[in-house]
Amino acid sequence: MKRDQWLAAPIGAGLTTVLLTVAGCSTDASESSGHGEPVVMGMTDKVIATDPASGYDPGSWLLFNNVFQSLLSFPKGSTTPEPEAAERCGFTGGDSKVYRCTLKDGLTFSNGDKLTSKDVKFSFDRIQRIKDKNGPAVMFAALDSVETPDARTVVFRLKAPDATFPMKIASGAGSIVDHAAYPADRLRADGKAVGSGVYALDSYGREQATFSVNTAYKGPAKAKNSGITLKFFAGGAQLKKAVESGGVDVAYRGLTMKDIAALDRASLHQQHGTQVVQGGSAEVMHLVFNLDDPTAGKLGVRKAVAYLLDRSTLVRDVYQRTAEPLYSVVPAGITGHNTAFFNTYGDRPQPDQAAAALREAGIQGKVPLTLWATPDRFGPGTVPAVREIAQQLNASGLFDAQVRSVPTDAYDRGVTAGKFGVYVKGWIPDYPDPDNFTQPFFGRDSVLANHYDSPAITGRLLPQTADQPNRAATKPAFRELQDIVAKDLPVIPIWQGKQYAVARQGVSGLEWTLDSSTVFRFWEISKSADA
């Protein structure tokens, strides 16, 4: 699943701050498409792949969401997919195992080739055939076959009910490629892309990628600029300097908490007229317990940690209020979210309750505990955050906690091998549904590798929610699941992130690119001629 550096910064005085507070509504997009000023963006993320059968990282999906069409897409401010290349889609029959879509008429790729159901089938079959280790094939494990009764009809047959299938095909994983421009059994390796999305990829290299508006695009989006240049920076300091000096119009993904905090505190004169744009995010961080570990495997130890964790202090001191305390595994803004951990363990340290939990488990004396972290996967605040947690545990007098930090490769090997008792896991969702925050963590092939299994979750609740196309109707089941997790404590949720971008004065529309759908929409960004 997608994981990478988290962007964070405080919101303070002396800076124009735009907040994304409205969902499901739109600004006027009646102007002609693609006639605005070109926009230069910068980020430290790299675009790992230009071929949708390979990329499974935020940088690559940024490209996919703008260059390729999917059958469905997430409108700005919404987590409910709507037709994009499709005219209509829906489950047929009495369960969630057959999904049928009818394509819009007259779709073409940027090279002039017609887009038909043959291309849709080719795209999904190709992902499964190539099964690239860095690709999205894992998202379509339940896909059995794709049928094309005619040029505009696509029928997906699933091995098991999956009501989240529409969200999966609305993500970057659902990108449709031209069957005549891509090999069926291997990745395209020339750094080029042929799609039917809002933009065409003109060039791609180590330092930058350039995009122009695709005049063949047929869909709901309206481009408010005439093109995008995406520059790649080695680090946050260089990116910060570029936006301050006017080298880029927008800085996205890569500014550290310290960088944005400095911009946030500076005066408009000192910033040369920059603005911070804040939006919602469903990125989360959890503290994970290996239930096979002789110490972390004891419920009394996990309860004591839950009673002592001070999320508010952590997000204030480490993340400078650029994150929010998270009290359940399904984040706020996602269907079925509750506050199970707040209800059970409170929002402030309770040393007496923690001591009682240890005594009840027959544990005497200070508990030795090693917390593991990695500095280069989940953002620059990760190791400081884990150190803060260890300090909170030790301040109670109940723990002797220490922190170990190792590079990502060693960290992944240690987690997989079960060598760590307590460790952190960051998560950026593939699609904005509670399933994506639960099934990967508590299903039978858990990415947490922490040896936790709940028959109620895997045998009843997850299958029940997977078979419910009406996602609002899944709220009771997901809330029960979250209550079970708070009771069993295989993980403790720590924080939920926010998204930030810094833009030059005269740039607008960024508030419509930062939401929990995780789709960054190039077409919503505009720049005034005198910016």
Side-chain angles (χ1 to χ4, degrees):
M1 299 297 175
K2 300 195 294 292
R3 311 172 187 88
D4 75 318
Q5 182 173 347
W6 180 68
L7 307 180
I11 295 299
L15 187 61
T16 302
T17 301
V18 184
L19 301 180
L20 178 60
T21 57
V22 182
C25 65
S26 169
T27 56
D28 180 41
S30 60
E31 63 266 31
S32 298
S33 176
H35 293 294
E37 292 292 313
V39 175
V40 180
M41 282 182 52
M43 66 181 189
T44 60
D45 279 349
K46 303 302 181 185
V47 174
I48 304 301
T50 58
D51 188 328
S54 177
Y56 202 20
D57 58 280
S60 297
W61 277 34
L62 182 148
L63 184 149
F64 300 160
N65 287 324
N66 288 282
V67 172
F68 298 94
Q69 273 187 301
S70 299
L71 291 166
L72 305 172
S73 64
F74 294 103
K76 56 188 177 184
S78 175
T79 57
T80 301
E82 294 182 1
E84 171 66 41
E87 185 177 90
R88 60 183 178 275
C89 288
F91 285 106
T92 63
D95 56 24
S96 302
K97 292 179 66 176
V98 180
Y99 196 70
R100 179 184 292 266
C101 290
T102 301
L103 289 170
K104 291 174 180 174
D105 193 22
L107 295 173
T108 59
F109 290 100
S110 58
N111 63 357
D113 290 352
K114 290 183 178 180
L115 191 163
T116 70
S117 61
K118 181 176 182 179
D119 298 293
V120 179
K121 174 177 169 59
F122 175 83
S123 300
F124 284 88
D125 288 350
R126 181 173 179 265
I127 287 173
Q128 291 187 306
R129 183 181 299 112
I130 295 175
K131 207 171 184 177
D132 186 75
K133 66 178 183 178
N134 297 315
V138 64
M139 289 180 65
F140 300 116
L143 180 58
D144 188 25
S145 64
V146 184
E147 300 170 0
T148 55
D150 56 57
R152 291 181 59 198
T153 304
V154 185
V155 179
F156 298 92
R157 298 192 181 276
L158 310 180
K159 302 172 187 175
D162 183 4
T164 66
F165 189 72
M167 293 193 179
K168 292 176 180 177
I169 64 173
S171 73
S175 299
I176 303 168
V177 302
D178 183 353
H179 77 277
Y182 286 79
D185 56 358
R186 66 186 186 280
L187 297 175
R188 183 167 178 165
D190 59 1
K192 297 181 179 180
V194 177
S196 58
V198 188
Y199 291 83
L201 178 65
D202 296 332
S203 66
Y204 168 74
R206 295 184 63 181
E207 296 184 354
Q208 68 178 37
T210 60
F211 305 81
S212 60
V213 175
N214 175 18
T215 57
Y217 170 73
K218 184 176 182 180
K222 300 292 184 183
K224 299 175 183 177
N225 56 68
S226 57
I228 298 284
T229 297
L230 183 60
K231 293 185 176 182
F232 308 119
F233 289 82
Q238 294 93 325
L239 180 56
K240 177 175 178 284
K241 183 178 180 180
V243 73
E244 286 179 317
S245 65
V248 299
D249 301 311
V250 178
Y252 174 64
R253 298 199 64 83
L255 292 173
T256 66
M257 297 172 291
K258 181 180 178 181
D259 293 335
I260 299 185
L263 289 169
D264 202 8
R265 288 190 295 266
S267 69
L268 288 174
H269 175 71
Q270 290 172 321
Q271 294 173 59
H272 307 285
T274 55
Q275 56 177 320
V276 167
V277 184
Q278 175 193 332
S281 172
E283 184 175 356
V284 299
M285 177 73 81
H286 296 326
L287 194 65
V288 184
F289 297 95
N290 177 1
L291 270 64
D292 278 359
D293 184 81
T295 302
K298 295 177 180 178
L299 181 58
V301 171
R302 304 197 300 275
K303 281 186 176 180
V305 174
Y307 278 122
L308 294 172
L309 181 60
D310 186 347
R311 297 169 178 81
S312 296
T313 295
L314 187 149
V315 300
R316 182 196 68 200
D317 294 349
V318 177
Y319 290 100
Q320 303 182 50
R321 296 188 174 90
T322 60
E324 297 286 347
L326 181 61
Y327 293 98
S328 197
V329 292
V330 175
I334 302 297
T335 299
H337 164 75
N338 72 3
T339 54
F341 279 75
F342 179 93
N343 300 340
T344 306
Y345 305 102
D347 66 336
R348 290 296 178 184
Q350 301 184 60
D352 291 345
Q353 294 277 30
L358 293 175
R359 286 196 304 269
E360 187 177 340
I363 298 172
Q364 303 294 327
K366 290 186 178 182
V367 179
L369 200 65
T370 300
L371 312 181
W372 291 84
T374 181
D376 44 9
R377 164 160 289 181
F378 307 126
T382 303
V383 174
V386 175
R387 287 175 179 154
E388 169 63 25
I389 293 172
Q391 182 177 331
Q392 292 176 5
L393 298 180
N394 292 338
S396 70
L398 301 172
F399 283 87
D400 181 11
Q402 60 176 327
V403 176
R404 294 284 303 277
S405 175
V406 294
T408 293
D409 289 346
Y411 188 80
D412 288 344
R413 289 194 299 270
V415 169
T416 301
K419 293 182 178 180
F420 304 157
V422 188
Y423 47 98
V424 290
K425 181 70 73 171
W427 189 255
I428 301 175
D430 302 301
Y431 49 93
D433 187 89
D435 175 83
N436 201 229
F437 298 91
T438 53
Q439 196 282 329
F441 293 166
F442 312 116
R444 289 189 170 83
D445 297 316
S446 169
V447 299
L448 300 179
N450 67 336
H451 306 100
Y452 171 70
D453 180 51
S454 166
I457 292 177
T458 56
R460 176 170 58 87
L461 294 173
L462 288 179
Q464 177 184 329
T465 56
D467 197 19
Q468 178 52 264
N470 178 3
R471 301 312 285 165
T474 65
K475 289 180 181 179
F478 278 115
R479 286 169 179 164
E480 181 183 351
L481 184 155
Q482 292 166 88
D483 291 340
I484 291 172
V485 172
K487 177 176 176 290
D488 292 350
L489 291 169
V491 302
I492 295 178
I494 304 172
W495 56 252
Q496 175 176 349
K498 302 174 186 177
Q499 290 192 84
Y500 291 89
V502 176
R504 304 285 299 172
Q505 290 293 327
V507 175
S508 60
L510 277 166
E511 65 270 26
W512 298 115
T513 68
L514 304 173
D515 59 37
S516 55
S517 72
T518 72
V519 177
F520 191 91
R521 303 168 181 87
F522 282 171
W523 58 89
E524 293 292 345
I525 307 172
S526 63
K527 186 175 74 169
S528 61
D530 57 352

